[in-house]
Amino acid sequence: MSLGDRLADTLYGTGWATVKKLPEPAAARLGRTVADLAWKRRGKGVLRLEANLARVVPDAGPERLAELSRAGMRSYLRYWMESFRLPAWSEQRVRAGFTCEDVHHLTDGLAEGKGVVLALPHLANWDLAGAWVTTELGTPFTTVAERLKPETLYDRFVAYREGLGMEVLPHSGGAAFGTLARRLRAGGLVCLVADRDLSASGVEVRFFGDTARMPAGPALLAQQTGALLLPVTLWYDDSPVMRGRVHPPVEVPASGDRAEKTSLMTQALADAFAAGIADHPEDWHMLQRLWLADLDPARAPDAPRYGGAA
């Protein structure tokens, strides 16, 4: 293991061991302090976040973009402070920490015995939303996690999410899709963060006026299993409670081949994601390149793939 890998593993391990012991107000203050320090340093991740936000809010001037990126870093560190503390939260605290509009789209689908795919972007705290599903709704689900380096760090994230009631499959390898399909055919729930393609073989979509690539998995799973495909968006407000919305189902088109159907369904997901991100741009934790025009494989690697990228 390299020195950088050991350092990353140590830092995350320290976060989980230490931050979860802090009183909640102290953890919140720590998160804001770390966020402001990172924002002032103007590192690669902050600059990339600001460039992404410039696409989301194209009429924003430099001052407005700076405000948004600072708020974005505070939102991002709120995610981390909550995530470090989630394993120590009581069931009551988890239930009280999230409220969701139109959750009937999810509960009705499950009650009908259909599998359900929830697809969401990197908005607010998807881990808290998942913990709320397993706690408040009493519904276990299966998700996929990006393989992180070092392996010990990936193992930490798997253990953390499994501790919240999730079944976690590695993103790499083809076995994950088959397992997800089996869970859905059995009437189960699958949750996928789906605004960034990790395979370089995703579906091209129009996203805030330009072309990006998003994973085909949610649409393909819905087509092959008959599961409902539901977009979800999340956001923070000025309260300790995170907010969310389950959007109406993305329907499988009546005509077209598989590729055409997948393209249309993935575009519908992108449109739902864009609506949620436009309403709450500061809560979109996208510190990596996303649009094809910004991707250049010949250049140095982009900002680090933080573990929050499920």
Side-chain angles (χ1 to χ4, degrees):
M1 187 188 302
S2 70
L3 177 60
D5 287 347
R6 286 200 301 272
L7 178 60
D9 186 54
T10 299
L11 287 174
Y12 283 107
T14 301
W16 266 301
T18 304
V19 173
K20 70 180 180 181
K21 298 178 182 178
L22 294 175
E24 196 156 337
R29 286 195 300 272
L30 175 61
R32 289 192 298 269
T33 299
V34 173
D36 288 349
L37 288 172
W39 178 78
K40 289 176 182 177
R41 287 184 58 196
R42 308 289 292 165
K44 186 184 292 186
V46 173
L47 294 176
R48 174 45 49 193
L49 174 64
E50 206 161 284
N52 290 340
L53 290 171
R55 290 181 177 271
V56 174
V57 191
D59 58 346
E63 185 175 342
R64 173 60 176 151
L65 280 177
E67 291 174 355
L68 279 174
S69 65
R70 183 180 186 181
M73 291 305 295
R74 286 189 169 193
S75 174
Y76 186 52
L77 264 295
R78 176 173 171 175
Y79 161 81
W80 278 111
M81 292 300 106
E82 287 178 348
S83 294
F84 287 144
R85 291 175 52 76
L86 262 176
W89 280 15
S90 66
E91 289 189 2
Q92 181 179 1
R93 178 66 183 90
V94 171
R95 291 189 176 104
F98 179 54
T99 184
C100 190
E101 300 173 13
D102 297 327
V103 72
H104 66 89
H105 291 303
L106 168 60
T107 54
D108 290 351
L110 293 172
E112 292 171 7
K114 294 183 177 180
V116 175
V117 180
L118 295 181
L120 59 161
H122 287 81
L123 274 170
N125 190 339
W126 46 96
D127 285 330
L128 173 55
W132 183 86
V133 166
T134 61
T135 302
E136 175 66 16
L137 302 184
T139 302
F141 65 87
T142 305
T143 189
V144 174
E146 179 184 359
R147 279 229 179 251
L148 302 169
K149 291 184 179 180
E151 191 74 15
T152 52
L153 181 56
Y154 171 77
D155 291 341
R156 286 185 189 275
F157 276 97
V158 169
Y160 156 65
R161 287 177 171 139
E162 287 179 343
L164 299 176
M166 311 175 193
E167 179 187 21
V168 183
L169 307 176
H171 178 271
S172 57
F177 188 91
T179 302
L180 296 174
R182 286 193 295 274
R183 300 292 183 268
L184 292 169
R185 290 191 181 102
L189 176 62
V190 165
C191 299
L192 301 171
V193 180
D195 57 344
R196 184 165 68 99
D197 180 56
L198 298 176
S199 67
S201 61
V203 178
E204 290 189 5
V205 296
R206 295 296 291 176
F207 195 57
F208 291 104
D210 208 343
T211 303
R213 189 182 288 121
M214 294 187 181
L220 288 172
L221 285 167
Q223 290 178 63
Q224 293 191 18
T225 68
L228 284 180
L229 175 55
L230 301 176
V232 177
T233 53
L234 309 171
W235 67 94
Y236 291 126
D237 57 19
D238 293 330
S239 77
V241 180
M242 185 178 72
R243 312 285 172 172
R245 176 180 296 114
V246 180
H247 296 253
V250 172
E251 302 292 345
V252 177
S255 62
D257 60 23
R258 186 173 69 173
E260 291 168 337
K261 292 178 179 180
T262 300
S263 178
L264 289 170
M265 294 172 73
T266 306
Q267 182 63 61
L269 282 181
D271 293 343
F273 294 168
I277 293 166
D279 286 342
H280 305 280
E282 68 279 6
D283 290 324
W284 190 40
H285 306 156
M286 186 54 66
L287 280 70
Q288 296 84 19
R289 297 177 190 271
L290 180 71
W291 284 271
L292 299 191
D294 295 333
L295 293 169
D296 182 358
R299 298 175 66 174
D302 198 13
R305 289 183 175 178
Y306 299 98

